[in-house]
Amino acid sequence: MAMAIRVFLLSLLFLSFADHSFSLYEDQAGLMDWHQQYIGKVKHAVFHTQKTGKKRVVVSTEENVIASLDLRHGQIFWRRVLGANDAIDGVDIVLGKYVITLSSEGSILRAWSLPDGQMVWESFLQGSKPSKSLLSVPINLTVDKDNVILVFGKGCLHAVSSIDGVVLWKKDFSAESIEAQQIIQPLGNDKIYVVGFVGSSQFDVYQINAKNGELIKHTSAVFPDGFFGEVLSVSSDMLVSLDSTKSILVTINFQNGEISFKKTHISDLFEDHSGIADILPSKLSGVFAVKINTLLVFIRVTAEGVLEVVDKINNAAAVSDALSFSEGQQAFALIEHVDGKVLLTLKCSHDWNNDLLKESVEVGHQRGLVHKVFINNYIRTDRSYGFRALIVMEDHSLLLLQQGATVWSREEGLASIVDVTVSELPVERAGVSVAKVEQNLFEWLKGHILKLKGTLMLASSEDIAAIQGMRLKSSEISKMTRDHNGFRKLLIVLTRAGKLYALHTGDGRVVWSLLLPSLRKSGSCEHPTGLSVYQWQVPHHHAMDENPSVLVVGRCGPNSDASAVLSFVDTYTGEELNSLGLVHSVAQIIPLPFTDSTEQRLHLLIDTDKHAHLYPRTSEAIDIFQREFSNIYWYSVEADNGIIRGHVLNRNCIGEVVDEFCFDSRELWSIVFPSESEKIIATVTRKLNEVVHTQAKVVADQDVTYKYISKNLLFVATATPKASGEIGTATPEEASLVVYLIDTVTGRILHRMAHYGSQGPVHAVFSENWVVYHYFNLRAHRYEMSIIEIYDQSRADNKDVWKLVFGKHNLTSPISLFSRPEVILKSQSYYFTHSVKTIAVTSTAKGITSKQLLIGTIGDQVLALDKRYLDPRRSVNPTQAEKEEGIIPLTDSLPIIPQSYVTHALKVENLRGIVTVPAKLESTTLAFAYGVDLFLTRMAPSRTYDSLTEDFSYALLLITIVVLIAAIFVTWVLSERKELQDKWR
Amino acid sequence: MEKGKGVMVGGRRWGVDFTDNSASPSSRDIPDPPGFSRASQDQDDSTLSRQKKDAEANWKSQKAWEVAQAPFKNLLMMGFMMWMAGSTVHLFSIGITFSALWQPISALQGVGKVFEPYKDSKVELLGPKLLFIALNLGGLALGVWKLNTLGLLPTHASDWVSSLPPAQEVEYSGGGIPLR
C-alpha cells in the first residue's frame, strides 16, 4: 500500500515537471503573439487587370520574394520566397495565367500559376559564363503555336516554351565574348536582335531566326571613343548610349544590318550643361530621359537619329516605363516632389504638352523620395482612361496612388531589419491614462452570452472571431503605457533603408517611424548605410523624467573607412535629438558598462586606425572613463587573416587637433591561426545585458560546483579552408572543426577542442557559462550540436558551511582576469535533425528561470529546445539523485517536439535573427524573430510560476472566499447559541 | 452522616448509630462500654487512610510512568509513517515530517499539564518527566532527521551559495569582428 502511494505520488510529481514544452491551445494562438507578413522593396511590378475578377499586381522584390497583391487593399494573395542567393532578375506574365520569373543570374526560369501561386514548371538553363540576364516575353512570337519566352543568361540565348518550360532552342554566345545588353524583337517579325558590346568600343548585332535560333547575320562596328556601360533601346532599330566620358550621347542605328553611330554632345543640346550625364533605364518609346545633376532632360529621337530636347524638369524623382493604353497611344508617369507632396504627372509620349493626368498626393513626410513608379490604366465609368500608379519610396514602402489619393500603403521597410533594440514605454500617470471604452449593459451581456456559447461549443466561426477579438481587447496588450509585468515595450528596429521604426510588442503596430535624416543620401554622405542601434539612455531611478533614447550608428559608404554617422533618437516621441557626422570611421562599437548621471551609457567607437573615441563627449564621461581607463581593453577578429588581436588603451591621440576623447591603443596580444589549416568561421560572445543569478550550480547530492562566469570570453570556431565552403565539397578526412574559448583581456586560450570530420557552417550561442554550437558531422552525415560548460576549479573547495553562513568567503569579491583561472570543461555532443539558420537563448529579468534555446530552423520556424537536453552531465543511466535533479537520460539525438515550435503554424520567411527581451515578470521573456516576416511571442520557459494564468477564474476564487467567510460567520453564530443553551440546561 | 445522628421524633424511640465515630464521649448520652477506647479506633482509621493514600500515590506514580512512556509508542508509529512517506519531498512526506516535529514540541510545551493529575507531594514526578522529555526529544530528533533526509535542512554548502551573485570582473573588454 505504502509503495503504491509512493509510486502514485512520485509519478504525479514527475508528470508535473516533465511537460516543460511550450505549447498552447488552438484558441490561444494570436493572443500572446503576432505575425506580420512583408515582401521587401519592390524591384519589378506587373499588373494584371485585363479580365474581370480579382485585380492584382505581381511584384518581385529585393528580398527574393514574388508576390501577388490585391490592388484594392494591398493584401498579399500569395507569396513565394526564393532562397537567399536566388535573386530575381525579371518577372512577367505570359498567356494571362502564368507568372514567369528569371532568377539566379539567368539560370532558373519558373512559371507560377497566377491565381494561387503554385509552381507550374521550372527549367534550369545551362550556360557557362556569367553575364547579364535578360527576360523578354515577345507578344506575338510563336513557334509551333507555342508562345516563346526569350531568356538571355549565362552567355546563352534560350527560347523557352511558355506552356511547359521546355527549351525550344539555344544559341550559345559564350565563344563570342559579347556582353549582351538587349534582346530586341521587332513586332510582326521572326527575327531577334541580340545587341551588345565586345570590349569597351566594339558594338555587335546578332540577327537570329526566332523559329529555330539560327544565326542569320552578324555585324559589328567599332566606336573609337568607347562606350560607357549600358544601352537603351528607343525604338525597334535605334539605341542610345553614352560614350566613355559620359558627355556625348551616341545613337546607334542598326537597321538592315548596317550599324551607324551618331554623336551628339550634351553641351550642344543645351548650353548651361556641366557635369556628367546618366541615361535613365526607363523604356519610353521614341523618347529617353537623361539625368544631369538634378536636372532630368527628356530627349526625343527622330527617325533620322537627330536628338531634340523636349523638356527639362528639375528635381524629378522617378520615371516609369511607357504603357500603351489605347491604339498606338503610350503614356508614362513622371514623379516630382513639390512642397512635400508627390506630384504624379502622366505624359503622353507623342503629344508632350498634353498631360493625361496631374495629381498631387500627400504620402507622409517619413517616406522620403520616390524611387520607382509603375503605372497601370483602367477604364472609368465614363469610358475615359484612368491611371493608377504603384510607387516605391525611399524607405522601401509601397503605395498605390489613384485619383489623387493613397489607396493603400505597405511598410515594406520592415522586411529588411538590420538591428533591433528595446525601449520601455512611459509610466502610466494620472494624466496620461488611455481613454477607457465605455461599455453599456447590453454589450456586456452580449459578450457574456458569446463566451457562454463558446464554452458550450455552440459558437459559429464568426462568434469565435468575435470572442477572440474581445479577448484581445480586454487583455489591454496594446496600451501605450508600461504594464506591471513588463510585457508592453517598444521594439526599436533599424531597417536597411535607414528608417527607424518603433513597434509595440502588444500588437506589432508601428507607433512611430523616422527616416533618419543623417542616414539619407546627401552631398557629404553618398551611400549611407545604417549599421546598428544601441540603447543610449535608459532612465532609471534618478533620471526618470527624461525620455529614453537610442543611438543609431551609420556609415557614409560601403567601405569600412567611410566616415561614421551617429544619430540620437528619442524613443517616446520618435524625434531625432541630435546627429553627428564624424570625421573618423567606425569599425567597432563597444558599449561600456558605465553610465553617467543622466543614465547615458558610455560608448567607445573604434575606427579603422585603431583609435578609440569616447561618446558622449562630455567632461563627466571622460571623468568616469579615466577612473576605469586602465581596465578597458578591446579586441578585433580579423577573419580574413585568421588573427585575433587584443588591445589596451594607451594615451590621447596625437594629431593636429587635440582631442581628449580620442585614445591610441597598443596591441597587447595576438592569436594567429595557421592559415593552411584553420580559418575563422564563427565567433560569439555573451550578450552584454545578460543577467546571471548565481555563480553556483547545485548538482546531485547537494554538491556544489562554481560556474566560470566571465563577460570577457570569446568563442571562436575555425575550420580547414577546404571545408569552409558548402557541405559536401570536402571529404571527412580533410575537414576538421576546431573550437576555442579565448579570454579577450589576456588572450589566454582556456580551451581548444577539435572535431575531426566536421565542418561548418557553425551557429553558436553563448550564455552564462556555456556555449552551444551547431555544425555538420561529415562522417555521420548529420548535423550535430555540442555544448561546452565551463566551471571554475579554483573555487571548488569553498565548501565550508560555517564560512558560507557567516560570509567569510571571497566568492563575490572582484576578480582580475590576470590571475590565472583554473577551469574545467565538460562537453557533450548530440545529433540534431535540422539545419539551423540562427540560434538564440531566452533571457529573463533576474536569470533565475531555466533557459530554452530558440533555434531558427531551415523551415523558417522557431523551435524552443530546453537547455536540459544539452547538459554535459547526461548519462545513459542517471543515478536516483541525478534523476531528482532533472537530468534526462542520454540519447544520441536531441528530440524535436512538434508542440515546442514557438511559431506554431506560422513561418517567418527568410528568418535572419531572433532577439529575446526579458519581461519584468521573472518567468517570462519576449521572443522576436525577424526576416521578411516579423513574429513576436511571449514565452515562459519554466511556465508562469510567478503569476496566475490568464484564464484563471478570479470570480471563482472570490466566490469561494465569500462563501467561506459566510460559513465561518454562520457556524460561529450557531456555536454561540449552542453554548448558551448548554449553559441554561 | 449528620442526618442519621440523634433520636428521631415520632415513631422511632431509639436507634443505634453504628457509624458514629465522633471522638468526644461527652456528646453521647450513654457512656462508652468498658474496654472500648475511642482513641484506638481513631488511630486505626488514620492508618487505613494512610494505606489508601499510599496506594493512590503508587497508582499515580505508575500512571505517570505510563504517561511518560506513551511517546515511545508515538515514536514507533511516527517512524513507520516516515518510512511510508519516503525520502522525496511531496505533500505527504512534508505533512508527516511537520506533524512529527510539531507533536513533540507541543508535548514539551505542555509537560506540566500532562503530569498535573499525578501531582502529589509523595509522588516523585521528576523521573517520568525526564523520560517524557527525553522521549519527546527523541521524537523531535527523528523529525529533524527526517527533515534532513528530505534535504530541507541547510546543512550543505549548496544551501548557502545558491543565491550568490557572480563575482565582478575588474577588467572589461569588448569588440569582435569589425562592422561591415
Side-chain angles (χ1 to χ4, degrees):
Chain A
M1 180 61 195
M3 202 58 211
I5 290 170
R6 273 172 74 170
V7 166
F8 172 72
L9 286 171
L10 255 179
S11 58
L12 207 69
L13 185 82
F14 191 73
L15 273 177
S16 65
F17 277 106
D19 184 31
H20 259 298
S21 62
F22 176 89
S23 52
L24 36 76
Y25 293 103
E26 189 185 352
D27 65 335
Q28 285 176 321
L31 276 184
M32 291 188 295
D33 55 289
W34 49 262
H35 181 240
Q36 292 175 354
Q37 291 188 320
Y38 293 100
I39 53 176
K41 187 184 184 183
V42 169
K43 276 203 284 197
H44 314 278
V46 187
F47 290 88
H48 184 78
T49 52
Q50 278 85 3
K51 281 182 189 158
T52 50
K54 282 176 182 167
K55 298 206 182 330
R56 61 181 82 219
V57 57
V58 176
V59 294
S60 73
T61 72
E62 291 185 351
E63 303 293 328
N64 305 344
V65 176
I66 321 150
S68 169
L69 304 178
D70 183 359
L71 266 184
R72 250 176 247 287
H73 307 291
Q75 293 143 331
I76 298 170
F77 276 141
W78 55 263
R79 182 179 65 152
R80 293 289 172 267
V81 184
L82 307 186
N85 41 18
D86 198 7
I88 300 165
D89 302 311
V91 59
D92 212 334
I93 294 177
V94 295
L95 303 172
K97 59 179 182 180
Y98 294 157
V99 177
I100 302 292
T101 59
L102 179 67
S103 58
S104 286
E105 291 155 345
S107 60
I108 302 174
L109 192 69
R110 293 189 182 98
W112 315 83
S113 165
L114 185 60
D116 55 4
Q118 301 288 331
M119 191 160 77
V120 182
W121 51 258
E122 178 180 44
S123 62
F124 293 91
L125 307 175
Q126 305 297 326
S128 48
K129 152 185 129 173
S131 73
K132 199 171 169 176
S133 56
L134 305 163
L135 172 70
S136 162
V137 180
I139 300 160
N140 282 323
L141 184 68
T142 51
V143 176
D144 302 333
K145 293 177 185 169
D146 191 352
N147 276 51
V148 172
I149 302 161
L150 296 174
V151 176
F152 192 92
K154 301 253 177 196
C156 293
L157 180 68
H158 303 266
V160 182
S161 159
S162 59
I163 292 169
D164 51 7
V166 171
V167 177
L168 298 171
W169 52 260
K170 176 183 169 185
K171 173 84 181 89
D172 197 345
F173 288 95
S174 52
E176 332 281 321
S177 74
I178 181 179
E179 278 179 50
Q181 294 291 335
Q182 292 272 345
I183 309 169
I184 296 156
Q185 207 273 320
L187 269 178
N189 205 331
D190 278 352
K191 288 171 187 160
I192 300 164
Y193 296 95
V194 175
V195 298
F197 300 122
V198 175
S200 66
S201 60
Q202 191 185 325
F203 180 76
D204 280 38
V205 177
Y206 291 86
Q207 199 176 333
I208 289 162
N209 187 342
K211 297 281 180 205
N212 50 23
E214 277 169 16
L215 180 68
I216 299 170
K217 205 171 184 181
H218 170 215
T219 47
S220 69
V222 175
F223 180 69
D225 290 355
F227 292 104
F228 181 84
E230 319 222 322
V231 292
L232 180 74
S233 99
V234 181
S235 62
S236 62
D237 53 4
M238 194 81 82
L239 298 167
V240 188
S241 185
L242 280 167
D243 80 330
S244 52
T245 61
K246 283 179 136 187
S247 62
I248 300 170
L249 287 166
V250 186
T251 50
I252 307 162
N253 194 331
F254 58 94
Q255 212 169 16
N256 308 324
E258 299 292 318
I259 300 172
S260 59
F261 300 111
K262 194 170 170 61
K263 294 198 279 186
T264 313
H265 276 273
I266 292 171
S267 50
D268 292 347
L269 287 171
F270 49 97
E271 290 75 40
D272 53 343
H273 153 256
S274 61
I276 48 172
D278 281 304
I279 297 177
L280 287 193
S282 298
K283 289 177 193 134
L284 318 171
S285 62
V287 182
F288 66 95
V290 177
K291 196 168 178 100
I292 304 163
N293 298 334
T294 60
L295 203 65
L296 193 70
V297 183
F298 287 94
I299 299 167
R300 173 166 294 151
V301 188
T302 60
E304 297 82 40
V306 176
L307 304 181
E308 52 186 54
V309 174
V310 184
D311 205 352
K312 291 182 222 171
I313 291 155
N314 213 349
N315 287 323
V319 179
S320 76
D321 284 352
L323 168 84
S324 56
F325 58 96
S326 66
E327 325 77 54
Q329 288 234 59
Q330 290 198 318
F332 66 90
L334 171 71
I335 299 275
E336 292 164 82
H337 289 280
V338 181
D339 305 332
K341 286 185 173 181
V342 166
L343 182 66
L344 170 72
T345 315
L346 267 138
K347 296 255 183 209
C348 203
S349 302
H350 300 285
D351 186 5
W352 190 264
N353 295 321
N354 184 12
D355 290 343
L356 290 164
L357 189 75
K358 201 162 187 142
E359 286 169 347
S360 185
V361 187
E362 181 75 59
V363 296
H365 61 287
Q366 289 304 344
R367 297 195 188 274
L369 306 174
V370 176
H371 273 188
K372 275 194 175 119
V373 55
F374 305 94
I375 52 164
N376 177 238
N377 65 311
Y378 61 95
I379 297 168
R380 292 208 192 101
T381 42
D382 60 350
R383 303 223 158 218
S384 62
Y385 287 99
F387 292 89
R388 50 172 87 91
L390 191 70
I391 56 173
V392 181
M393 305 294 292
E394 192 179 351
D395 68 339
H396 297 182
S397 60
L398 187 68
L399 289 90
L400 185 78
L401 308 183
Q402 194 171 333
Q403 292 174 339
T406 311
V407 183
W408 49 261
S409 64
R410 292 181 64 88
E411 288 286 354
E412 293 305 334
L414 288 169
S416 54
I417 290 176
V418 176
D419 202 4
V420 184
T421 190
V422 217
S423 166
E424 293 288 345
L425 280 161
V427 183
E428 188 162 9
R429 295 196 194 94
V432 294
S433 74
V434 181
K436 252 188 188 162
V437 185
E438 287 290 327
Q439 229 181 7
N440 58 29
L441 186 73
F442 179 67
E443 294 269 310
W444 181 84
L445 212 65
K446 213 165 80 179
H448 276 265
I449 288 168
L450 266 178
K451 272 184 191 166
L452 194 70
K453 266 169 111 180
T455 41
L456 296 175
M457 297 187 184
L458 294 168
S460 64
S461 55
E462 296 110 68
D463 290 347
I464 290 169
I467 294 168
Q468 198 81 334
M470 259 174 0
R471 281 171 102 173
L472 274 177
K473 217 165 85 184
S474 64
S475 57
E476 297 189 332
I477 53 174
S478 55
K479 260 171 89 173
M480 276 305 295
T481 48
R482 223 175 274 189
D483 63 334
H484 183 67
N485 291 333
F487 295 156
R488 293 200 293 264
K489 284 174 197 291
L490 285 178
L491 286 171
I492 312 290
V493 300
L494 177 68
T495 65
R496 201 179 297 148
K499 194 172 184 180
L500 208 61
Y501 290 88
L503 304 177
H504 196 289
T505 54
D507 53 2
R509 71 178 188 277
V510 176
V511 177
W512 53 259
S513 63
L514 173 70
L515 189 63
L516 286 167
S518 50
L519 285 180
R520 289 182 71 179
K521 202 169 166 180
S522 65
S524 58
C525 202
E526 270 297 310
H527 301 284
T529 48
L531 293 174
S532 47
V533 51
Y534 297 89
Q535 288 184 339
W536 176 253
Q537 193 178 11
V538 186
H540 271 299
H541 316 288
H542 50 272
M544 213 57 191
D545 295 333
E546 304 213 18
N547 290 1
S549 54
V550 291
L551 163 70
V552 182
V553 183
R555 182 191 276 162
C556 285
N559 299 325
S560 61
D561 52 356
S563 62
V565 189
L566 300 187
S567 178
F568 304 93
V569 181
D570 186 324
T571 61
Y572 285 177
T573 61
E575 281 161 12
E576 191 173 41
L577 300 170
N578 188 14
S579 75
L580 299 169
L582 306 178
V583 285
H584 60 80
S585 57
V586 58
Q588 290 185 28
I589 303 141
I590 304 170
L592 296 173
F594 320 114
T595 52
D596 68 5
S597 59
T598 57
E599 300 279 345
Q600 287 185 352
R601 186 161 292 278
L602 271 61
H603 283 69
L604 214 53
L605 266 67
I606 312 286
D607 66 11
T608 42
D609 299 326
K610 301 193 171 168
H611 293 308
H613 303 265
L614 179 71
Y615 291 89
R617 295 170 86 89
T618 57
S619 56
E620 190 195 352
I622 203 107
D623 283 345
I624 297 167
F625 187 67
Q626 288 291 2
R627 242 177 281 149
E628 298 288 338
F629 185 74
S630 59
N631 289 327
I632 291 167
Y633 302 80
W634 67 276
Y635 66 96
S636 58
V637 180
E638 293 164 28
D640 300 331
N641 308 334
I643 303 175
I644 300 175
R645 292 178 205 277
H647 306 266
V648 65
L649 297 178
N650 212 3
R651 58 180 189 285
N652 278 78
C653 298
I654 301 160
E656 303 92 72
V657 193
V658 178
D659 184 0
E660 58 170 335
F661 298 100
C662 170
F663 302 91
D664 264 340
S665 49
R666 179 167 56 87
E667 193 177 311
L668 203 63
W669 52 265
S670 64
I671 297 170
V672 183
F673 296 101
S675 60
E676 67 277 2
S677 62
E678 291 185 34
K679 182 177 184 295
I680 298 171
I681 53 169
T683 64
V684 66
T685 54
R686 270 181 62 195
K687 258 176 40 179
L688 253 183
N689 52 359
E690 191 188 47
V691 183
V692 181
H693 177 242
T694 175
Q695 55 174 305
K697 179 175 175 154
V698 180
V699 294
D701 292 330
Q702 272 90 40
D703 205 357
V704 63
T705 52
Y706 293 90
K707 301 172 189 172
Y708 183 75
I709 292 166
S710 170
K711 281 206 189 304
N712 303 318
L713 271 185
L714 175 71
F715 169 84
V716 181
T718 67
T720 42
K722 253 189 181 174
S724 52
E726 295 269 301
I727 290 163
T729 52
T731 59
E733 285 73 32
E734 60 195 18
S736 72
L737 186 78
V738 189
V739 296
Y740 294 87
L741 285 170
I742 296 166
D743 184 333
T744 55
V745 170
T746 58
R748 185 181 285 133
I749 296 175
L750 294 176
H751 183 59
R752 178 185 189 275
M753 185 160 66
H755 296 272
Y756 295 105
S758 296
Q759 73 163 93
V762 170
H763 298 278
V765 63
F766 201 143
S767 172
E768 290 195 7
N769 67 326
W770 51 264
V771 194
V772 169
Y773 53 102
H774 177 269
Y775 55 92
F776 190 77
N777 186 336
L778 285 165
R779 285 186 210 281
H781 306 287
R782 288 217 244 178
Y783 282 101
E784 272 187 3
M785 266 172 121
S786 287
I787 177 154
I788 303 177
E789 288 191 353
I790 315 150
Y791 291 97
D792 195 342
Q793 195 59 32
S794 56
R795 291 162 175 254
D797 44 357
N798 270 308
K799 281 181 182 158
D800 191 338
V801 179
W802 296 112
K803 270 190 183 172
L804 291 167
V805 172
F806 295 112
K808 297 245 185 282
H809 57 83
N810 57 357
L811 290 171
T812 48
S813 52
I815 48 163
S816 168
L817 288 163
F818 288 98
S819 62
R820 189 180 170 79
E822 282 175 55
V823 294
I824 52 163
L825 291 104
K826 294 175 180 172
S827 67
Q828 214 168 48
S829 300
Y830 318 88
Y831 291 126
F832 188 68
T833 316
H834 285 303
S835 56
V836 160
K837 282 187 167 178
T838 177
I839 307 184
V841 66
T842 57
S843 53
T844 51
K846 300 263 187 294
I848 300 169
T849 309
S850 66
K851 306 242 170 195
Q852 277 185 343
L853 292 171
L854 297 178
I855 297 168
T857 64
I858 197 77
D860 293 322
Q861 291 205 302
V862 179
L863 177 74
L865 182 69
D866 212 301
K867 165 71 178 58
R868 291 186 309 150
Y869 289 110
L870 286 147
D871 188 333
R873 289 171 54 236
R874 282 176 72 182
S875 57
V876 181
N877 287 314
T879 62
Q880 187 61 36
E882 280 176 339
K883 270 186 199 156
E884 269 171 39
E885 194 197 328
I887 285 184
I888 303 161
L890 182 65
T891 48
D892 62 344
S893 60
L894 297 172
I896 291 166
I897 304 154
Q899 290 96 316
S900 57
Y901 278 103
V902 176
T903 44
H904 44 94
L906 304 168
K907 271 174 94 177
V908 185
E909 294 285 0
N910 258 345
L911 181 67
R912 275 181 286 123
I914 302 168
V915 177
T916 57
V917 182
K920 222 190 251 170
L921 200 66
E922 168 57 29
S923 66
T924 314
T925 176
L926 301 174
F928 177 58
Y930 61 92
V932 171
D933 295 351
L934 310 180
F935 178 80
L936 183 131
T937 190
R938 202 189 296 164
M939 292 179 64
S942 309
R943 295 185 174 188
T944 47
Y945 55 81
D946 49 2
S947 69
L948 296 168
T949 51
E950 293 203 339
D951 52 351
F952 181 80
S953 176
Y954 287 93
L956 193 67
L957 181 71
L958 217 67
I959 289 167
T960 316
I961 291 171
V962 168
V963 165
L964 280 176
I965 290 172
I968 287 169
F969 263 99
V970 169
T971 47
W972 180 65
V973 169
L974 284 177
S975 78
E976 286 282 290
R977 196 177 290 167
K978 190 155 188 283
E979 215 164 294
L980 197 65
Q981 277 175 354
D982 276 354
K983 280 181 180 163
W984 275 111
R985 197 179 289 160
Chain B
M1 272 193 203
E2 295 300 310
K3 271 184 190 170
K5 195 179 157 192
V7 181
M8 300 292 281
V9 191
R12 256 195 282 177
R13 283 274 177 92
W14 55 271
V16 180
D17 190 357
F18 291 106
T19 56
D20 183 19
N21 53 0
S22 62
S24 61
S26 57
S27 67
R28 310 236 163 207
D29 310 332
I30 313 147
D32 285 335
F36 179 78
S37 146
R38 264 180 203 278
S40 71
Q41 195 204 348
D42 270 359
Q43 209 177 10
D44 208 39
D45 212 33
S46 77
T47 51
L48 203 112
S49 80
R50 197 182 301 126
Q51 272 170 6
K52 215 175 173 182
K53 269 182 185 166
D54 276 351
E56 198 179 289
N58 268 338
W59 176 80
K60 271 185 178 173
S61 110
Q62 200 182 333
K63 266 286 176 211
W65 279 110
E66 252 169 50
V67 166
Q69 281 166 6
F72 183 70
K73 267 188 249 162
N74 227 338
L75 214 68
L76 285 180
M77 203 181 76
M78 223 63 223
F80 177 70
M81 292 277 275
M82 278 173 185
W83 172 79
M84 255 177 53
S87 63
T88 46
V89 181
H90 48 84
L91 208 63
F92 191 55
S93 64
I94 286 182
I96 285 180
T97 312
F98 276 94
S99 78
L101 285 172
W102 179 246
Q103 268 184 4
I105 290 171
S106 63
L108 286 176
Q109 274 177 340
V111 171
K113 233 175 222 168
V114 169
F115 289 96
E116 187 86 36
Y118 319 114
K119 209 170 169 187
D120 206 318
S121 54
K122 287 190 180 138
V123 179
E124 187 57 64
L125 276 178
L126 190 68
K129 267 187 184 171
L130 278 179
L131 181 69
F132 184 79
I133 288 169
L135 282 174
N136 271 315
L137 283 178
L140 197 67
L142 196 69
V144 171
W145 172 79
K146 183 69 194 170
L147 212 58
N148 194 27
T149 53
L150 288 180
L152 296 178
L153 282 187
T155 51
H156 292 91
S158 59
D159 301 318
W160 296 93
V161 295
S162 57
S163 60
L164 217 55
Q168 286 266 307
E169 283 177 309
V170 177
E171 291 89 1
Y172 181 79
S173 165
I177 296 178
L179 294 167
R180 241 167 251 159

